[in-house]
Amino acid sequence: SMYTNLAILAVLVFLYSLIARRFENSIISGPIIFVSAGLLLGPLAFDWLKSDITGSGLRVIADLTLALVLFIDAANVNLKIVKHTKYIPLRMLLLGLPGVILFGTIVGTLLLLELTLFEVAVLATVLAATDAALGKAVITNKVVPERIREGLNVESGLNDGLCVPILFVFLALAEGSVGEGKPMMLAVTLVAEELGIGLIIGLGFTMVAAWLFKFCKNRGWVSEIWMPVTAVALAIGCFATAQNLHGSGYIAAFSGGLLFGHLMGKSTHELIIGAEGLGETLAMLTWILFGTVVISRVVGTFTWEMLLYAGLSLTIIRMLPIYLCLRGTGEPVSSRLFLGWFGPRGLASIVFAVIVMEHDLPGSRYIAMVVVCTVFFSLVLHGLSATLLSKWLGGKEKTIQP
């Protein structure tokens, strides 16, 4: 069974590598293909892929994938553009993100009667995290204005880490393990730990690693064969160390990637190209497993409330707070709608759902079902709309410019 799985996955990776460019500008995205392959090859259809992977195993793969994607995307950030248009990610993170969680909790309280108030807040937080991997089709599309691409890149890179302490606060409240009057103190403590430790590890590790790399390269000690491994090891090292010290591995990976790209300058692309290939392969594996192990086992069991909330989460719950938080910035209606729509849910939400399941709340399975439904809708809808809406926004921007 193991070798059968390995052979199937190897063939899929090889075949997709031959035609990947054909799909880069297509409405059919890679994740759609991978999940579809997982559904067809899993128990729902041919039943060729046999997987007994647990939630923890899926979480490890998704975490490693997300760490690499965050590091790579951050390394590619154009800091000059971000410096001049920082109002976009700042407003989306400081105003839009809390708004999405609050609005999601209000809607969920009215719609999802199976859950308690704090369980709904947990769900709203899980679905407030956007996915850097699924958003790549937009972030790398040159048709999209650079300020929009960089704004989405920074938002998706940081909001995962910001959601973690909020998630743990709501989990503690849902479990009744927080004393009266202590939620605010717990929230402040968790935010300080997650952000502080994440930043210290990400920036500290990367600063030392960059100095060591330049020191060794100047002496001719660095092998070209091993050079692509540098970024992979650094990304995973930042992530895993921060997680082990109870900080945010997502913040560590993204902040480390930002500093790495800045310090390496023109050498950045050469150093991260290997990491990008590995990240894409891990993402492919994650989405295939998502189709085989998760979707195939729960499809057909979603209730109308789950389906409705999933649709609302991707639209009005996300879009309205983002639209409103960008008022007064001078951004046209088209770009505000675009920024609101492209908040895909994916790897981070899957990881958070596994964390919720590990806490064994009464409504944990229900929460996980809503998350699975939302992620599935997201990868299809955002995948299909990425190229078309990117061209639409690019055309709008040309019309607006004098």
Side-chain angles (χ1 to χ4, degrees):
S1 177
M2 180 183 72
Y3 290 115
T4 300
N5 289 345
L6 188 60
I8 292 171
L9 293 173
V11 169
L12 287 174
V13 171
F14 175 75
L15 291 177
Y16 186 77
S17 71
L18 300 178
I19 57 174
R21 184 175 288 276
R22 294 281 296 176
F23 291 100
E24 286 181 357
N25 297 316
S26 166
I27 63 170
I28 306 296
S29 67
I32 293 177
I33 295 172
F34 306 150
V35 171
S36 299
L39 287 170
L40 288 173
L41 299 175
L44 200 63
F46 294 109
D47 199 22
W48 291 347
L49 276 176
K50 311 286 185 180
S51 177
D52 56 355
I53 189 170
T54 62
S56 297
L58 184 59
R59 177 185 173 182
V60 169
I61 297 172
D63 263 340
L64 290 177
T65 305
L66 198 51
L68 275 176
V69 170
L70 289 173
F71 187 92
I72 293 163
D73 286 350
N76 285 323
V77 164
N78 187 330
L79 291 176
K80 291 182 180 178
I81 297 295
V82 172
K83 183 178 179 181
H84 290 98
T85 59
K86 58 182 178 293
Y87 63 88
I88 294 178
L90 280 177
R91 287 202 177 209
M92 292 172 75
L93 290 167
L94 299 180
L95 299 176
L97 179 60
V100 171
I101 295 173
L102 176 61
F103 195 23
T105 302
I106 293 171
V107 174
T109 302
L110 298 173
L111 184 62
L112 307 176
L113 302 181
E114 298 279 337
L115 303 177
T116 66
L117 172 62
F118 291 125
E119 286 176 339
V120 173
V122 166
L123 173 62
T125 306
V126 169
L127 293 178
T130 59
D131 189 279
L134 284 181
K136 200 163 189 178
V138 170
I139 292 171
T140 58
N141 193 329
K142 302 297 184 183
V143 175
V144 180
E146 202 165 15
R147 72 180 192 286
I148 304 296
R149 286 189 280 121
E150 297 298 356
L152 285 172
N153 194 3
V154 173
E155 187 220 4
S156 63
L158 295 177
N159 76 350
D160 301 343
L162 293 175
C163 284
V164 171
I166 301 171
L167 174 64
F168 282 120
V169 170
F170 285 135
L171 281 171
L173 289 169
E175 292 174 323
S177 58
V178 181
E180 187 177 346
K182 293 184 178 179
M184 184 58 69
M185 184 178 295
L186 176 62
V188 172
T189 302
L190 284 174
V191 169
E193 286 182 356
E194 293 278 334
L195 298 185
I197 294 172
L199 285 172
I200 290 171
I201 296 299
L203 298 177
F205 266 39
T206 303
M207 191 172 293
V208 173
W211 180 84
L212 285 172
F213 177 81
K214 290 179 179 179
F215 179 85
C216 295
K217 188 177 181 182
N218 290 336
R219 284 158 179 75
W221 297 350
V222 178
S223 167
E224 289 187 7
I225 295 175
W226 280 89
M227 198 156 55
V229 179
T230 304
V232 176
L234 181 56
I236 295 175
C238 288
F239 174 83
T241 304
Q243 291 287 104
N244 191 51
L245 295 175
H246 305 292
S248 172
Y250 307 122
I251 295 292
F254 193 79
S255 62
L258 278 175
L259 184 59
F260 186 79
H262 174 68
L263 295 176
M264 294 296 105
K266 295 180 180 180
S267 302
T268 301
H269 179 73
E270 181 185 8
L271 290 168
I272 65 172
I273 190 69
E276 288 191 85
L278 178 58
E280 291 289 341
T281 305
L282 283 174
M284 178 181 183
L285 175 61
T286 304
W287 292 122
I288 290 173
L289 289 174
F290 183 68
T292 304
V293 180
V294 182
I295 294 292
S296 63
R297 294 178 181 175
V298 299
V299 68
T301 62
F302 299 121
T303 65
W304 70 266
E305 293 95 341
M306 293 177 180
L307 296 170
L308 179 56
Y309 187 84
L312 291 173
S313 177
L314 296 177
T315 53
I316 188 171
I317 290 175
R318 154 80 184 185
M319 295 178 71
L320 183 59
I322 295 298
Y323 184 89
L324 293 176
C325 80
L326 292 170
R327 288 188 66 183
T329 61
E331 286 295 326
V333 171
S334 56
S335 62
R336 287 156 65 188
L337 290 173
F338 187 89
L339 287 164
W341 169 244
F342 279 104
R345 316 306 196 278
L347 299 178
S349 293
I350 293 171
V351 170
F352 291 168
V354 174
I355 292 173
V356 173
M357 292 291 287
E358 290 172 350
H359 278 71
D360 199 27
L361 296 175
S364 60
R365 177 172 171 76
Y366 194 95
I367 292 171
M369 291 281 287
V370 178
V371 172
V372 169
C373 183
T374 308
V375 171
F376 182 64
F377 280 3
S378 179
L379 71 90
V380 173
L381 296 175
H382 288 115
L384 291 174
S385 63
T387 300
L388 294 175
L389 290 183
S390 294
K391 291 179 180 178
W392 170 78
L393 182 66
K396 284 283 186 180
E397 290 284 321
K398 288 181 180 179
T399 302
I400 294 172
Q401 288 176 1

